Amino acid sequence: MPAYSELKRTHTCGQLRAVDDSTKVRLNGWVKGERHLGGLLFLDIRDRYGFTQVVINPQEFDPEMLAEAERVRAECVVAVVGTVQKRPDGTVNPKMETGEIEVNAEAFYVLAESKTPPFEIEDETTAKDVLRLEYRYLDLRRKPLQEALKLRHEATMAIRNFMSDQGFLDIETPLLMRSTPEGARDYVVPSRVYPGKFYALPQSPQLLKQILMISGFDKYFQIARCLRDEDLRSDRQPEHTQLDMEMSFVTPEDVWAVIEGLMVSMFRDVLGVKVEAPFERYDYEEVMMRWGIDKPDLRFGMEICDLTDVVRGCDFKVFADNVASGGVVKGIVLKGGGSYSRKQIDGLTEVAKKHGGRGLAYVLRAESGDKSPILKFIGESVKDKLVETAGVEPGDALFIISDKPLKTEEILGQLRLHLGRAHDLINKDEYKFLWVTRFPLFDFNEEQGRFEAMHNIVSHPIEEDMQLIDEGFDSKLTGDDLSHPWRRVRAAQYDLVINGLEVASGGQRINQRELQEKVLSILGIDKDRADRMFGFLLRALEYGAPPHAGIAIGLDRVVSLMLGRDSIRDVIAFPKTTNATSLMDNAPSSIDPEQLEELGLALKKKD
Ligand code: ASP
């Protein structure tokens, strides 16, 4: 075999066209398939640019090379030397980019053998996920994954260009850092030099980016890896990538404007899709009341309507008692749902129960007249009022939930999503962007009887609610009282939602040590612990911290959304399973006893 320098490709496998007719070329690639036809041998050679048909005429071919070509298996790497020729009439393949030509081979060499792959490298595969993850290098040869990683590259390039053009500096923050829990568990790395001490891998660059603001880097960004040791839910990864950014001397509106500009340019450059900005903006309270979820999918309607006043004091005790004890009664209307069957209603009731509902009431406006199991309790006049208030037209269905405030809306929000999907009410080609802001600063954990940060320990309260922080310290109320001042503090915290997915989260940050300490103490973190965990941030806050705000966008999520893929796994080159293992290299794995010794670690037996 000649030296590889003489066999090196002159063209990729996706490059040749009719204009290249008669050109002498060398192609390198993977054998995709082989077939004998009309006394000729045809081979398809593939690389990430496409594939090219190679034709070998046994009559004119070197017998040794012919034997090689005939025994070659799929996925071997080969070099072909030959001449481009237009395909004979009737054999042109318009579906293939190189379908006008073929390469008439003069020489054929195998550069690397391949075992028979455990699954075929086809666009569509029925291979099991585990197998595909174990042989990820083969899975990544498949076109859908090659396309996904290419689009991801284009998205990150669009981000870098846009952010840099806007004056942001790309600054790296360390991977080995102090453990500063942000809600999830840290991945920790033992130190060899300081036995018994540990670094943590960052859950996000949050505190460091704030410190960069204190240093005066008023516009920072980074495409950062974030690691969180959480119990994995489906479609979560222990490590994910985010576009992390922070700005000084700004209000949240300035951050939104940058992200809106970024989304417009990214969707335009990568997908050719026009995105309208500014995006709609809603307070948390409003989205919860209208759509029953903090990340509403606005590609379809079906807003929640309030029926509490209609049923107040009515003869249906379930409604009347609930309302009398502070509960609410609300509903959603399904257009054309008037003909819902018993079975469909049962199915929907199950969905309501799955989300904590006690049951589901309904009014069906069928052709044969209004049907409702509660009609005999509420009577015609209340039913008519319900129908009128909710705007139920003939042929529609009204589904009603009666429960505690917020819980009622949340159940209806889930029913709405279920119905939207079940009845194909969602336009899959549309992108609906919106901001949700002014989330509660704190969540009260009823079980543990303590306040928790709803999003982030560094979120700044909105100006109007600042005084509630101090009022809470003086309050005689307990945390489970809905009117406790701390339950009413809203945060200058915001999420970007696209098509019902939370793709970014950010906020204005606390820039005064005193306020940060108050928030930490509300969260039950006393001065000592605060100092141990966040001392470096608290100290830095004493040296001129500018007002600042920022956000982080989940890159894996946005890219999978752009591609219309259901799973973020498809847009990550080497993803882990939902059990946080990597099937290809078998991580996590044991380490050598010598390594443990060096680190001063001894393993305890654990079940
Ligand atoms: N650090 C936050 C997170 O990772 C994002 C932010 O507020 O910028 O979720």
Side-chain angles (χ1 to χ4, degrees):
M1 184 156 73
Y4 179 60
S5 54
E6 287 168 42
L7 299 178
K8 213 164 66 167
R9 67 183 176 189
T10 53
H11 295 77
T12 71
C13 297
Q15 201 175 348
L16 297 168
R17 301 287 183 274
V19 289
D20 299 303
D21 188 23
S22 307
T23 311
K24 188 136 191 188
V25 297
R26 294 192 304 260
L27 296 184
N28 295 174
W30 288 263
V31 173
K32 182 169 143 35
E34 191 182 40
R35 61 207 171 272
H36 287 274
L37 211 72
L40 300 173
L41 174 63
F42 292 93
L43 291 161
D44 287 332
I45 314 285
R46 183 194 65 227
D47 61 17
R48 82 172 170 90
Y49 304 92
F51 60 94
T52 302
Q53 176 169 296
V54 171
V55 49
I56 293 176
N57 184 347
Q59 246 81 74
E60 300 164 5
F61 217 61
D62 176 275
E64 237 170 77
M65 281 185 192
L66 179 65
E68 279 275 271
E70 280 183 325
R71 66 147 200 96
V72 81
R73 294 173 202 239
E75 302 313 316
C76 287
V77 180
V78 299
V80 173
V81 182
T83 307
V84 181
Q85 61 190 27
K86 285 198 195 150
R87 292 199 195 180
D89 282 349
T91 62
V92 168
N93 182 352
K95 280 200 230 119
M96 200 173 146
E97 281 185 282
T98 59
E100 300 165 302
I101 57 96
E102 59 195 6
V103 170
N104 188 10
E106 286 139 34
F108 179 91
Y109 304 94
V110 176
L111 300 178
E113 297 285 352
S114 171
K115 286 187 169 179
T116 306
F119 52 88
E120 277 183 57
I121 313 301
E122 298 285 352
D123 293 358
E124 299 286 332
T125 180
T126 51
K128 292 254 178 339
D129 275 0
V130 238
L131 195 65
R132 289 173 51 201
L133 287 171
E134 187 182 342
Y135 293 90
R136 187 65 170 175
Y137 38 88
L138 296 179
D139 204 24
L140 285 173
R141 279 187 200 161
R142 293 172 48 242
K143 198 166 161 199
L145 288 180
Q146 300 225 330
E147 277 172 356
L149 293 190
K150 180 156 175 275
L151 188 127
R152 184 186 177 112
H153 157 79
E154 283 159 6
T156 51
M157 288 307 285
I159 290 172
R160 286 190 197 286
N161 290 336
F162 181 87
M163 296 305 278
S164 178
D165 287 350
Q166 298 284 315
F168 285 79
L169 302 184
D170 179 350
I171 302 177
E172 285 180 72
T173 51
L175 275 182
L176 294 178
M177 55 184 287
R178 189 190 173 81
S179 169
T180 52
E182 261 188 70
R185 234 172 271 120
D186 281 326
Y187 276 103
V188 292
V189 179
S191 158
R192 177 184 56 82
V193 184
Y194 301 98
K197 301 221 161 153
F198 295 83
Y199 300 97
L201 301 176
Q203 294 188 27
S204 92
Q206 182 62 38
L207 304 187
L208 294 171
K209 71 176 169 175
Q210 289 186 243
I211 288 178
L212 285 172
M213 295 303 111
I214 298 173
S215 303
F217 294 100
D218 63 338
K219 289 176 163 190
Y220 140 93
F221 86 101
Q222 181 182 192
I223 296 185
R225 202 67 72 78
C226 301
L227 299 107
R228 299 178 189 178
D229 186 3
E230 292 172 296
D231 294 326
L232 295 184
R233 281 183 262 142
S234 70
D235 214 27
R236 278 267 188 122
Q237 289 282 318
E239 45 186 310
H240 72 272
T241 306
Q242 54 188 36
L243 161 65
D244 192 48
M245 70 90 112
E246 197 76 11
M247 305 170 78
S248 293
F249 306 116
V250 292
T251 58
E253 287 76 9
D254 299 298
V255 175
W256 301 348
V258 172
I259 297 302
E260 285 167 354
L262 171 66
M263 287 294 157
V264 168
S265 82
M266 197 161 103
F267 274 71
R268 182 195 56 220
D269 296 352
V270 178
L271 285 187
V273 166
K274 191 169 183 307
V275 169
E276 297 293 341
F279 306 155
E280 290 172 31
R281 295 159 188 195
Y282 298 98
D283 284 1
Y284 168 81
E285 170 79 20
E286 185 177 352
V287 290
M288 291 311 291
M289 290 305 114
R290 291 175 68 178
W291 297 285
I293 192 165
D294 62 359
K295 42 180 188 216
D297 189 337
L298 298 191
R299 288 174 297 172
F300 68 110
M302 223 193 264
E303 280 187 34
I304 297 171
C305 55
D306 194 349
L307 308 167
T308 312
D309 285 340
V310 180
V311 299
R312 193 186 301 279
C314 75
D315 293 335
F316 185 40
K317 277 186 78 61
V318 176
F319 285 176
D321 290 355
N322 177 42
V323 173
S325 63
V328 293
V329 176
K330 299 196 174 187
I332 47 173
V333 176
L334 176 65
K335 289 258 139 235
S339 53
Y340 244 45
S341 66
R342 184 70 240 170
K343 200 163 153 232
Q344 284 173 301
I345 298 275
D346 288 347
L348 206 56
T349 309
E350 279 314 307
V351 177
K353 286 190 176 155
K354 192 174 129 206
H355 294 283
R358 286 172 297 200
L360 179 70
Y362 59 89
V363 179
L364 301 181
R365 303 208 66 194
E367 265 176 33
S368 52
D370 295 348
K371 277 192 270 178
S372 170
I374 58 172
L375 193 58
K376 52 183 177 290
F377 306 110
I378 57 173
E380 283 293 332
S381 80
V382 172
K383 185 261 301 170
D384 287 345
K385 201 83 203 297
L386 282 176
V387 162
E388 188 195 321
T389 309
V392 196
E393 287 170 359
D396 298 348
L398 168 64
F399 299 112
I400 306 170
I401 295 285
S402 165
D403 215 309
K404 287 193 216 154
L406 208 56
K407 188 171 167 206
T408 304
E409 290 82 358
E410 283 174 345
I411 298 166
L412 285 167
Q414 293 301 326
L415 290 176
R416 172 181 175 269
L417 279 180
H418 174 87
L419 291 170
R421 291 188 195 119
H423 295 283
D424 234 348
L425 305 177
I426 301 168
N427 177 0
K428 300 240 164 35
D429 299 326
E430 202 181 355
Y431 294 96
K432 273 283 192 190
F433 290 73
L434 67 138
W435 292 106
V436 180
T437 182
R438 297 180 168 219
F439 287 85
L441 183 56
F442 303 113
D443 239 353
F444 187 70
N445 184 325
E446 312 246 341
E447 277 161 34
Q448 300 183 10
R450 60 186 187 88
F451 284 95
E452 293 172 341
M454 179 143 173
H455 269 96
N456 212 319
I457 55 149
V458 296
S459 301
H460 202 293
I462 63 167
E463 289 305 324
E464 296 104 289
D465 294 352
M466 280 290 277
Q467 85 292 348
L468 293 171
I469 296 279
D470 286 334
E471 279 176 30
F473 285 105
D474 302 330
S475 172
K476 301 268 175 307
L477 299 174
T478 52
D480 48 15
D481 195 316
L482 285 180
S483 53
H484 191 290
W486 292 340
R487 291 191 79 143
R488 289 183 282 130
V489 189
R490 288 162 296 170
Q493 174 77 33
Y494 34 82
D495 281 357
L496 175 64
V497 177
I498 310 177
N499 294 356
L501 295 170
E502 178 208 313
V503 299
S505 183
Q508 191 193 328
R509 327 293 183 182
I510 294 170
N511 68 320
Q512 307 286 348
R513 174 169 181 146
E514 200 198 340
L515 179 58
Q516 185 65 74
E517 281 182 331
K518 281 183 189 168
V519 167
L520 290 173
S521 87
I522 294 171
L523 300 173
I525 301 174
D526 63 24
K527 267 199 159 29
D528 271 359
R529 218 170 123 225
D531 209 51
R532 251 183 297 128
M533 285 163 78
F534 307 106
F536 68 101
L537 173 73
L538 294 171
R539 269 192 305 284
L541 286 174
E542 291 177 305
Y543 290 90
H548 60 286
I551 194 164
I553 303 181
L555 191 69
D556 311 302
R557 175 81 53 228
V558 172
V559 173
S560 60
L561 190 93
M562 291 174 108
L563 273 159
R565 302 276 166 88
D566 291 332
S567 169
I568 59 168
R569 257 198 221 171
D570 279 3
V571 303
I572 298 173
F574 300 105
K576 297 203 172 46
T577 63
T578 35
N579 301 326
T581 57
S582 165
L583 297 179
M584 189 180 74
D585 62 354
N586 261 322
S589 63
S590 319
I591 56 172
D592 292 339
E594 300 85 71
Q595 280 176 294
L596 284 173
E597 180 63 36
E598 211 168 37
L599 294 166
L601 295 180
L603 296 184
K604 245 171 107 174
K605 273 230 166 350
K606 235 183 152 189
D607 297 332

